[in-house]
Amino acid sequence: MNIVMIGAGYVGLTTGACLAHLGHSVTCVESDPRRLGPLRAGDIPIYEPGLADVVQACRLSGRLQFADPDTPALGTADVVMLAVGTPSGADGDIDLAQIHEAARQIAPRLRPGAVIAIKSTVVAGTARSVAALVARARGAGDVAVVSNPEFLREGSALADFLTADRIVVGADDPAAAGVMAALYAPLTEQGVPYVRTGTIDAELIKYAANACLALRIGFVNELADLCEAAGGDIARVTEGIGLDSRIGPRFLQAGPGFGGSCFPKDTRAFAATGRRLGARQTVIEALIAANEARKTALAGRILQALDARQNGTERRPRRVAVLGMAFKAGTDDVRDAAALSVVPALTAAGVTVTGHDPKARDQAAALLPGVGWADDPYDAAAGADAVVILTEWEEYRRLDLGRLAQRMSGKLLFDFRNLLCPDAAARAGLDCIGIGRAAPPGTTPAQHGTAPKGSGGHARVRRGTGWLQVAASPS
Ligand SMILES: NC(=O)c1ccc[n+]([C@@H]2O[C@H](COP(=O)([O-])OP(=O)(O)OC[C@H]3O[C@@H](n4cnc5c(N)ncnc54)[C@H](O)[C@@H]3O)[C@@H](O)[C@H]2O)c1
Ligand SMILES: O=c1ccn([C@@H]2O[C@H](COP(=O)(O)OP(=O)(O)O[C@H]3O[C@H](CO)[C@@H](O)[C@H](O)[C@H]3O)[C@@H](O)[C@H]2O)c(=O)[nH]1
């Protein structure tokens, strides 16, 4: 089939390359020259493991091409997929401007019977409103609009697409449903489950899936706080609950709070949809607040421990190495990453920050002025009072703690991904403060702050009898 993919970002590029890999003829259309330029030159403008090889192979086979929005490929497309951004707008609700703009651009140029498939994450009712927009632009209702949400994760996007847990297609038009079934036949013939619904249900499935996964993480993060307070160990507790087959072991890793381009924005849009339609999602509203407060409170925890290590009244400049800018390992994406909350709060408190990330340094540097950058974690740690791990990169899991300790001037190690063994850290002379387990003797136990109403986006972290004000994320 002839496919045109509008938007060659994390989803469009991966999905387009995978559809070409499955035998379709795909043109990826990109309006941003900073992305289109490298793609046309044979480079990949994002980091996604394995993607460069698939793109290269499909280009050479002639099944994958890159074009600007003027491409004639639109006129012969069987399916045009929209994989443009759907960021948060006012009040957390979705901003559909890119979807509407793309639909307006392509509508007059499609052949009758073509199908528009919305791959972007969009709120319930979007496919229907886009169908009306397209019909108005064409003066005819001869192009159907279906919902085909994407469930891939960054860092494992290829495998997530090619061996998906399920494909969801929401189509209100039977002929369009048939076209989509043919598109995905190479995967469904290999046993990938295929869920056919109406457009509204498909749109709701996407948000419900993300909300459900985010809730697990929100729950396990608060459970970690309880473990710390009670003297438990979150790893043992999640192992114990995860063996219940109704719960399962995945997505139970406590950490700095969920980030990325999807969970924060999609939970906000889900909650906003509930408010707009008079069906409040109060559980999700609480989750959003808890997750934001958690990220903000991390910096308070670091500052509190640094303060506790200052001797007497003399205050000397404090230095912190922050390892991990990406919102998770395996990607260069920093959207809503914990680092974007933690680092500005540290610098606002007068701390000198040196950052490191194996893939996301450039993206982070553009958003974090005033931060120094190091090429490896040991250089980042040089002279640092504390080292803070925010992303679960494999190279941080394998850190040589003795070497790290030698480079540092202090001995605080905040392992906010629980990558390291506290005993090994102690042997290296470091006080390793993880998530959801007892703090090492002599270090300050966790005290978890919240961002109370009217705090203007600042979190207050309980500190002795007073409150420490910590600047919130700019994101
Ligand atoms: N990133 C993920 O892991 C993921 C997974 C599933 C779903 N989603 C959803 O998929 C959508 C895209 O996400 P993303 O992370 O790939 O975003 P992205 O910002 O990386 O990519 C979107 C691309 O679309 C391009 N674009 C916008 N308007 C265009 C137009 N009219 N013509 C051509 N190109 C245009 C932009 O320049 C950009 O490169 C969002 O709705 C997101 O919620 C993302
Ligand atoms: O046990 C866990 C799992 C994840 N996270 C965090 O949760 C966030 C999201 O992680 P993940 O879901 O792995 O990455 P995404 O690439 O954002 O993928 C999510 O968002 C996509 C966009 O909607 C969906 O397609 C995917 O199915 C959904 O998993 C990151 O900050 C992770 O560090 C945890 O803290 N603990």
Side-chain angles (χ1 to χ4, degrees), residues 6-11 29-32 35 69 83-86 98 102 105 120-121 150 152 154 206 261-262 265 335:
I6 308 289
Y10 289 89
V11 167
V29 174
E30 175 54 56
S31 59
D32 184 344
R35 280 193 165 161
V84 300
T86 51
Q98 291 182 44
Q105 276 173 2
S120 303
T121 301
E150 181 49 55
L152 64 77
E154 293 178 23
K206 174 63 195 177
S261 66
C262 294
K265 120 178 136 57
R335 289 178 282 185

Side-chain angles (χ1 to χ4, degrees), residues 146-148 164-171 176-185 187-188 191-197:
V146 305
S147 165
N148 174 213
D165 288 344
R166 80 300 205 186
I167 294 160
V168 174
V169 170
V179 172
M180 294 303 288
L183 173 74
Y184 283 113
L187 292 179
T188 51
V192 175
Y194 189 83
V195 180
R196 157 84 203 280
T197 66

